[in-house]
Every structure is written in structure tokens, then in C-alpha cells.
Amino acid sequence: MNLLERFAAGQVNAFEAVFRQHQREVYGWIVRIVRDPGAAEDLTVEAFWRLYQKRDRLDPSGNCAAWLRRVATNLAIDHLRRARPVTLLKEEPAEAKRGDCVEQQQARAAIRDAMMQLSPKLRVVVQLVLIEDETYAAVADSLGISLSAVKLRVFRATRILRKKLKEGGVWP
Amino acid sequence: MSLENKHDGDEKQLRKLLQDAIPPVGGSSSSHNLWPRMLRRIEEPSSRLSSRVPWFDWALLGITAAALLFFPALIPALLYHL
């Protein structure tokens, strides 16, 4: 009996092993999207709770990591929809604290503002593809959409951001 | 310059601007052991049920119960429509 079969059979110690095996990856993925360690921890527990609830219908030969990543992505997007904008992207980069000129700080603030104006659906792909350098394939898989749909979202987001940054004088 | 090359150039420039303003989180991991929280969640599934049901569902249930209590004649009509 493999680990997932034992988990599907209701063994809590098997679930603990699954949890410990995937926890780091799930948390890491969520925090890349929500950028809030506290919220990422809550959402990680929620993702595994959903897996636990689904254990009776779990396919032991299936890809548990991929399933978890997809659930984690949906939970993170829901969090972005609910969260107040001020709580997201609030951190200042380290360089700003080392005495950057005012223009640079204003440019960074304008970029963060432009990001916050994107819909959660577009913001997720920008954060994962353009900021975190995740591959298009990984993002497509986690969102449950095609590769071309991810490319289209990146294209649309790029166009919107470029327009907003041009208006703010940040884009040359 | 073709449209595709222009888009790639824009994307590269935007990527640089974004990463400068919003630094990548990368492969950070939680410093907390989340398993105890997970265990608590497993052991208290029923207490979470009330928080998952929207408040207006509870309100609707309350209004229906009150209506049936004060107007028992509605019960056959309700049963007929169910």
C-alpha cells in the first residue's frame, strides 16, 4: 500500500506524511501569489483541508502535487478578490530604504498601484510569470487553463500595465 | 521590428520594472510548523460548518421557521409546493 492509498484509507499518519511532503511547495506557491506569509499559511492549511475532505474520492495513482497546486491557486485568487488592496504589495524593496531618489520611489509606487488595478485573474499571471519567473506551462497547469490562455492573459496584462505606466510617466 | 519582437521587448522591460518595484518572493518557506494547525482543523470539522453557511441562508431559515410557527396554515401549502 503506497502513501496515498493509506491516506485514502483514512490513516491520519499517512495524511501527515503527505502534508509534510507537499507543505513547503504549496506554501511557497501561495505566498508567491498573495505575498502575505500569514495569509499564505492559512491558505496552505485550507488547501490540505480540502484534500483531506476529498480523501474518499482520491485517486491514489493521481498527481497529488498538481491537484494541490491547482486548489492552492484557486484559494489564493479568492484571497486576492477578498483582500483589501492596501494589504497587498505593501512592502517596499530593500533598495528604497537605502536612500533612493524620490523619482525612483514614486516610480515603484506607481508600478505597484498599476498592479493593484489589474483584476486578480491578470494579477496572478503577472506575479507568477513576470515577477516570479515561473514558466508559462507551470502557470497554465496551476490555473487549469491552456498555455495560449496564459500567454493571452500576460499579453493583456502587459498592455494594460504599459498604458497605466505611460499615463504615470514611468514607461518611456 | 515585428509586432512579436516589440511585444517581447516590452515584456522584458516590464519584467525588469516589476521586479524592481515588487521583488520576487522566490522559494520562501514558512518558519512555522503548520501540522498542529492542520490537526486542529481535522479535529474540529463541525465547528467550521456554521462559518461556511452564508448569513442570509440562516436568516431565510429563521424567517421561514417563524412564519410557520405564527401561521401554521402555511404548512400544507408549503408541503404542496415542495
Side-chain angles (χ1 to χ4, degrees):
Chain A
M1 228 182 185
N2 72 21
L3 190 62
L4 284 179
E5 283 171 338
R6 286 193 290 122
F7 166 50
Q11 292 183 19
V12 176
N13 60 351
F15 179 52
E16 182 178 357
V18 171
F19 183 86
R20 293 194 188 281
Q21 194 176 330
H22 297 289
Q23 175 200 333
R24 187 187 154 88
E25 194 198 330
V26 171
Y27 172 86
W29 187 259
I30 293 174
V31 83
R32 283 185 187 111
I33 300 172
V34 302
R35 304 182 67 85
D36 175 348
E41 287 183 0
D42 290 345
L43 296 172
T44 301
V45 171
E46 181 63 30
F48 280 97
W49 168 241
R50 296 205 178 176
L51 176 70
Y52 184 77
Q53 283 180 309
K54 200 183 176 285
R55 66 192 181 282
D56 299 339
R57 287 157 285 150
L58 190 73
D59 175 13
S61 60
N63 188 344
C64 182
W67 188 88
L68 274 168
R69 184 175 274 202
R70 194 170 291 186
V71 170
T73 307
N74 288 333
L75 286 170
I77 293 172
D78 285 346
H79 174 83
L80 292 183
R81 288 195 178 109
R82 284 194 314 267
R84 288 170 56 205
V86 74
T87 63
L88 300 165
L89 308 177
K90 61 186 174 190
E91 71 272 33
E92 287 287 324
E95 307 90 74
K97 292 168 191 151
R98 290 205 299 265
D100 262 356
C101 68
V102 177
E103 286 82 11
Q104 280 173 312
Q105 289 183 26
Q106 282 174 344
R108 289 192 179 107
I111 293 164
R112 285 196 294 273
D113 282 350
M115 269 290 281
M116 291 312 303
Q117 287 173 45
L118 290 178
S119 69
K121 222 166 72 171
L122 294 183
R123 206 188 316 153
V124 164
V125 292
V126 171
Q127 279 177 201
L128 292 173
V129 174
L130 300 182
I131 297 176
E132 300 292 339
D133 283 332
E134 290 293 338
T135 63
Y136 282 96
V139 176
D141 196 38
S142 72
L143 288 167
I145 58 176
S146 67
L147 203 66
S148 51
V150 176
K151 286 181 181 172
L152 184 65
R153 285 188 192 183
V154 171
F155 177 77
R156 282 174 54 206
T158 306
R159 206 172 49 182
I160 294 169
L161 285 172
R162 204 176 53 202
K163 186 171 171 238
K164 292 200 181 297
L165 295 180
K166 260 184 187 166
E167 285 167 4
V170 178
W171 192 268
Chain B
M1 189 191 282
S2 75
L3 200 63
E4 197 174 335
N5 286 344
K6 185 181 181 306
H7 172 66
D8 286 347
D10 281 356
E11 190 181 303
K12 204 178 275 183
Q13 193 175 357
L14 187 62
R15 192 184 287 260
K16 193 175 171 301
L17 282 173
L18 285 168
Q19 288 181 345
D20 188 43
I22 308 163
V25 175
S28 67
S29 60
S30 172
S31 55
H32 299 118
N33 177 12
L34 298 178
W35 178 245
R37 278 171 66 178
M38 189 73 247
L39 258 187
R40 278 200 299 277
R41 187 76 196 267
I42 292 170
E43 285 161 4
E44 303 166 351
S46 55
S47 64
R48 295 266 171 179
L49 187 65
S50 59
S51 63
R52 279 207 305 271
V53 180
W55 66 269
F56 44 85
D57 282 358
W58 292 114
L60 192 62
L61 191 68
I63 291 167
T64 309
L68 295 179
L69 187 72
F70 290 111
F71 306 101
L74 289 176
I75 293 172
L78 182 72
L79 290 174
Y80 176 77
H81 287 289
L82 280 179

